[in-house]
Amino acid sequence: MEFLGSLWRGGRRLMKRKDSDAGDAGRALEELRASLYNEIRTSEGAKRQQQRYCGPVAALSFNFLVAVGIIMANKLVMGKVGFNFPIFLTFVHYITAWLLLAIFKTLSVLPVSPPSKTTPFSSLFALGAVMAFASGLANTSLQHNSIGFYQMAKIAVTPTIVLAEFILFKKTISFTKVLALAVVSAGVAVATVTDLEFNLFGALIAIAWIIPSAINKILWSTLQQQSNWTALALMWKTTPITVFFLGALMPWIDPPGVLSFKWDVNNSTAVLVSALLGFLLQWSGALALGATSATTHVVLGQFKTCVILLGGYILFKSDPGVMSIGGAVVALAGMSIYTSLNLQGSQENTKQILPSPKPKSTGEDSTDLNVNTNTTTIV
């Protein structure tokens, strides 16, 4: 009986310990949830969370995977489904994004925006309007130009961004980076520009698209890096403006007949999948621009083009031609050099930010050394 009694007491102590451990774990999880919730209640905290969990590598990888996915989805929608209304499709993308962001806000998981006085409404309005023209004119350019001319216009975005950042912010890049970007652009041109059929209207649309596309990327990157904007908060503020301008563009650019399209279950599902991927593309693109720069984001898009071309050759035995394969390889080499230069720059900036360690000493020498160090710092 004594043995059974001690066994019973030991079991009760063990049960109490387990209950205590479970309670501690539950309290820890509740504190973590409360901490994360409180973090997104301020723009500074939300920005810290975005930087902590979505650095440059994660943001660029996320954007790359989503971009590949939406290319396949849009090929399905435009090709197999036969949905030939590119502006309306973009309109559906942004309407879907707006609804999802409204749900996030209702659930109190949408990050808080910075105070209105820190960012003038004109900047947000400009970003929303430019985003609509960048998306709409891109689809129109693809519709009225050959693939080769469309790719040439995309390549022209890179020098436009460099020039615009210099004019607007006096931002310069090193000569070695310029050479690397030139190699990337030349390689992509050789890899993708197989035809250059000229169409006056298409050429004007392509030229008109280059500047909004460059400004769009610059604004997304600048507002996030110079203010406490997060990607989702900035999307919430600018998406309604983009929707308005896309609605205004539709009658002028899209062909008539969108309402008479066969909206059955299969076709509607394909459009909805494309719209959901469109939201993820917008979000991942904003994260990538906030974590890196407008130029780096353009290079990522060119990297995607080269990977798709080489992937089709390796995996699916497609034959784009020796010139195209060689151009893609040259472009990837240029991208590697550009990435390496960016990493070196980041390491140098980190070294400059970190304080230099003070030498340790004792006694009177230590006091003299501290005085000298402080004097030097003040001067």
Side-chain angles (χ1 to χ4, degrees):
M1 290 296 292
E2 242 179 73
F3 172 73
L4 291 176
S6 62
L7 186 63
W8 172 254
R9 287 191 296 273
R12 290 186 63 184
R13 283 196 297 270
L14 183 61
M15 292 289 288
K16 287 181 180 179
R17 190 178 298 115
K18 285 184 177 180
D19 290 341
S20 177
D21 292 344
D24 292 341
R27 282 191 294 272
L29 287 174
E30 182 63 25
E31 289 174 0
L32 177 62
R33 186 196 69 80
S35 174
L36 291 174
Y37 180 81
N38 290 332
E39 276 285 272
I40 65 172
R41 291 301 88 201
T42 63
S43 58
E44 295 87 352
K47 184 66 180 292
R48 283 195 300 270
Q49 292 297 321
Q50 178 174 300
Q51 292 173 335
R52 181 181 304 170
Y53 294 108
C54 198
V57 175
L60 291 171
S61 301
F62 180 29
N63 186 236
F64 174 77
L65 293 174
V66 175
V68 173
I70 200 170
I71 287 173
M72 297 179 180
N74 284 347
K75 280 186 177 180
L76 173 66
V77 172
M78 297 287 190
K80 188 175 180 180
V81 174
F83 191 81
N84 297 316
F85 308 96
I87 303 299
F88 184 78
L89 182 62
T90 309
F91 180 81
V92 172
H93 286 187
Y94 282 97
I95 285 289
T96 304
W98 196 11
L99 292 175
L100 289 173
L101 291 169
I103 293 173
F104 293 165
K105 187 171 181 64
T106 303
L107 298 175
S108 299
V109 294
L110 187 72
V112 172
S113 303
S116 57
K117 62 181 180 180
T118 62
T119 305
F121 177 75
S122 59
S123 297
L124 300 176
F125 185 84
L127 177 56
V130 164
M131 193 158 42
F133 282 97
S135 303
L137 292 177
N139 292 326
T140 309
S141 175
L142 185 58
Q143 184 179 6
H144 291 279
N145 287 310
S146 64
I147 298 297
F149 202 93
Y150 176 75
Q151 288 293 342
M152 287 297 291
K154 287 181 66 177
I155 292 170
V157 173
T158 303
T160 304
I161 288 175
V162 175
L163 180 61
E165 287 186 327
F166 175 74
I167 294 173
L168 296 175
F169 308 111
K170 304 301 179 185
K171 181 179 178 181
T172 59
I173 62 175
S174 65
F175 180 70
T176 50
K177 283 188 179 181
V178 171
L179 286 179
L181 290 172
V183 171
V184 171
S185 299
V188 173
V190 172
T192 59
V193 179
T194 56
D195 59 331
L196 277 176
E197 297 177 8
F198 182 79
N199 178 303
L200 180 59
F201 178 74
L204 293 175
I205 291 292
I207 294 171
W209 167 76
I210 291 171
I211 294 178
S213 178
I215 298 298
N216 178 47
K217 295 180 186 297
I218 292 171
L219 287 177
W220 272 105
S221 181
T222 303
L223 286 175
Q224 289 186 83
Q225 293 181 7
Q226 295 185 0
S227 305
N228 286 318
W229 284 99
T230 59
L232 289 175
L234 199 52
M235 287 168 62
W236 172 247
K237 292 292 185 179
T238 57
T239 300
I241 303 169
T242 304
V243 168
F244 172 79
F245 278 97
L246 284 172
L249 284 173
M250 266 192 296
W252 298 95
I253 298 178
D254 268 357
V258 65
L259 296 179
S260 60
F261 180 75
K262 187 180 179 182
W263 291 100
D264 57 17
V265 175
N266 292 333
N267 293 347
S268 300
T269 301
V271 172
L272 180 60
V273 169
S274 174
L276 292 174
L277 287 173
F279 165 73
L280 293 178
L281 182 67
Q282 186 188 358
W283 184 23
S284 62
L287 288 172
L289 286 165
T292 57
S293 67
T295 309
T296 301
H297 191 254
V298 173
V299 172
L300 174 68
Q302 295 170 341
F303 172 74
K304 173 193 65 183
T305 302
C306 294
V307 167
I308 291 174
L309 189 149
L310 292 175
Y313 173 71
I314 295 171
L315 299 177
F316 304 107
K317 307 302 180 184
S318 63
D319 187 15
V322 177
M323 288 288 290
S324 294
I325 295 172
V329 172
V330 169
L332 290 177
M335 292 172 198
S336 300
I337 296 171
Y338 178 78
T339 303
S340 175
L341 293 172
N342 275 343
L343 290 175
Q344 289 177 7
S346 299
Q347 290 173 356
E348 290 174 2
N349 290 337
T350 303
K351 288 179 182 178
Q352 292 175 1
I353 293 172
L354 290 175
S356 57
K358 293 181 180 180
K360 293 182 179 180
S361 183
T362 57
E364 190 175 332
D365 292 339
S366 175
T367 304
D368 294 340
L369 186 61
N370 287 336
V371 170
N372 292 337
T373 304
N374 291 337
T375 305
T376 305
T377 303
I378 293 172
V379 172

